[in-house]
């Protein structure tokens, strides 16, 4: 998703990142590069170096998916060049497959060729547990790919109590889901995000985008308690992408947000990198 590129003044970075976090290395679990172009990942690496990020997970969008076999070859070569620094998710749109077997076959190939997850999943115009989406979740569970999903008023739609998300989580307990998007984070204040993370072992969330930063900034006491309570299920992420990789682009607010909160160092370490290492089985240098 291309987030609203607003940065609250309270998030302005005026000092370097926390020295310990920078030394150990941050993992950004939600990034959008242009891997099918010859310099798309070089731009991402420059952004990583500027922000103290040791590894990113790149999520394909419509504009950044390969549109030919030649582009796919370029994409795979680019990721191989940056192995251990830039990881990738893969995607299938709900309308692109008709059967579970078809989806599993595609995802198995993607996993063989380096994909570590599925997403960013958009169920455009669909409820979260629409049969077309449920087919994809089942396939991801079988192949072993976590699902990162976007949720708003028109994509992966749900009710206020997340009953459609809950149905998917119950139906596929072996599939891990990573929540993201405005209609997820707007339920932080009333406790629904807390309830869902507590109720479902296979649900995680990333802190990315303007929606995540805005929700987490409103009540610092609530946010601090939430991050500590769910320290093992939250992933640092920015939702930065090629549209933000420009000279003098403002830094993502998540960097300053985490730094500004009164969090124990071990909680910061879990959110910055530990949870991603465990969830995806990374080996860090």
């Amino acid at each position: 998703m291309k987030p609203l590129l607003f940065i609250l003044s309270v998030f302005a970075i005026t000092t370097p990142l926390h020295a310990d976090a920078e030394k150990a290395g941050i993992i950004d679990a939600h990034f959008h590069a242009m891997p099918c172009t010859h310099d798309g990942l070089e731009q991402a690496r420059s952004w990583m170096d500027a922000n103290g990020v040791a590894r990113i997970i790149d999520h394909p969008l419509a504009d950044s998916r390969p549109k030919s076999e030649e582009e796919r070859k370029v994409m795979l070569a680019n990721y191989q060049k940056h192995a251990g620094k830039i990881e990738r998710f893969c995607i299938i749109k709900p309308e692109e497959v008709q059967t579970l077997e078809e989806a599993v076959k595609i995802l198995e190939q993607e996993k063989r060729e380096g994909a570590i997850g599925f997403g960013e999943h958009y169920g455009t115009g669909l409820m979260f547990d629409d049969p077309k989406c449920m087919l994809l979740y089942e396939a991801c569970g079988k192949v072993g790919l976590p699902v990162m999903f976007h949720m708003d008023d028109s994509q992966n739609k749900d009710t206020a109590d997340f009953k459609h998300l809950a149905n998917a989580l119950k139906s596929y307990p072996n599939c891990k889901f990573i929540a993201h998007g405005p209609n997820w984070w707007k339920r932080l204040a009333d406790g629904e995000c807390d309830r869902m993370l507590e109720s479902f072992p296979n649900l995680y969330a990333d802190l990315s985008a303007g929606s995540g930063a805005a929700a987490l900034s409103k009540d610092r006491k609530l946010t601090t308690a939430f991050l500590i309570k769910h320290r093992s299920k939250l992933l640092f992420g920015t939702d930065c992408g090629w549209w933000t990789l420009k000279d003098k682009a403002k830094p993502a607010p998540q960097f300053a947000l985490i730094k500004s909160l009164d969090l124990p160092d071990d909680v910061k370490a879990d959110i910055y990198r530990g949870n991603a290492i465990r969830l995806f089985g990374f080996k860090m240098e």
Side-chain angles (χ1 to χ4, degrees):
M1 162 186 166
K2 294 184 179 180
L4 294 175
L5 299 179
F6 70 95
I7 307 295
L8 300 178
S9 60
V10 70
F11 294 146
I13 293 179
T14 57
T15 58
L17 293 172
H18 190 281
D20 290 342
E22 188 172 10
K23 181 179 179 181
I26 294 170
I27 298 175
D28 185 343
H30 191 140
F31 196 90
H32 299 290
M34 288 291 277
C36 301
T37 63
H38 289 284
D39 64 347
L41 297 189
E42 300 298 337
Q43 294 174 358
R45 285 299 299 273
S46 295
W47 178 91
M48 292 166 64
D49 292 343
N51 288 281
V53 174
R55 189 180 299 219
I56 61 173
I57 301 176
D58 183 34
H59 299 262
L61 297 174
D63 290 344
S64 59
R65 293 177 75 188
K67 299 174 178 61
S68 66
E69 282 303 313
E70 181 58 34
E71 285 193 358
R72 184 172 180 84
K73 289 178 182 178
V74 170
M75 178 191 78
L76 294 176
N78 278 339
Y79 284 120
Q80 182 60 39
K81 180 180 178 181
H82 297 280
K85 294 294 184 180
I86 302 179
E87 310 290 346
R88 76 177 183 95
F89 271 32
C90 62
I91 195 66
I92 303 171
K93 293 183 180 180
E95 66 273 15
E96 291 177 343
V97 291
Q98 302 301 317
T99 68
L100 177 63
E101 292 73 20
E102 184 182 5
V104 167
K105 183 178 179 180
I106 293 170
L107 294 178
E108 286 177 339
Q109 178 180 348
E110 291 284 10
K111 188 173 183 179
R112 285 194 301 271
E113 295 181 343
I116 64 168
F118 181 89
E120 183 169 356
H121 168 58
Y122 291 93
T124 304
L126 302 175
M127 301 305 294
F128 193 91
D129 57 353
D130 183 278
K132 296 184 183 69
C133 294
M134 295 288 268
L135 182 151
L136 295 175
Y137 309 148
E138 184 176 2
C140 288
K142 286 182 177 294
V143 176
L145 294 176
V147 176
M148 194 279 284
F149 63 85
H150 177 97
M151 181 179 282
D152 63 26
D153 289 339
S154 62
Q155 298 169 114
N156 290 318
K157 297 184 290 184
D158 210 337
T159 51
D161 60 355
F162 290 129
K163 72 176 184 180
H164 298 277
L165 171 58
N167 183 35
L169 292 165
K170 292 174 185 176
S171 298
Y172 306 111
N174 293 327
C175 183
K176 295 180 173 66
F177 292 79
I178 304 167
H180 152 79
N183 280 21
W184 163 258
W185 283 115
K186 76 179 184 180
R187 306 314 306 273
L188 176 65
D190 66 7
E192 283 298 304
C193 294
D194 172 66
R195 180 183 67 82
M196 292 294 289
L197 287 169
E198 186 172 37
S199 299
F200 296 99
N202 55 331
L203 179 63
Y204 297 74
D206 75 44
L207 310 183
S208 67
S211 59
L216 293 163
S217 71
K218 288 180 180 178
D219 184 335
R220 297 303 181 94
K221 184 176 180 180
L222 181 151
T223 293
T224 300
F226 176 81
L227 295 183
I228 292 173
K229 179 177 180 179
H230 298 292
R231 58 179 292 174
S232 65
K233 304 189 81 179
L234 299 172
L235 307 173
F236 183 87
T238 64
D239 207 355
C240 285
W242 65 86
W243 58 92
T244 65
L245 305 183
K246 301 174 182 177
D247 291 341
K248 299 181 180 179
K250 293 181 179 179
Q254 282 76 12
F255 292 110
L257 170 61
I258 299 300
K259 184 180 176 183
S260 72
L261 297 172
D262 186 20
L263 294 171
D265 287 343
D266 57 345
V267 173
K268 288 182 181 179
D270 280 345
I271 294 170
Y272 275 140
R273 57 194 169 269
N275 295 331
I277 290 170
R278 288 183 285 272
L279 180 58
F280 300 111
F282 292 152
K283 292 181 180 180
M284 299 296 286
E285 296 178 358

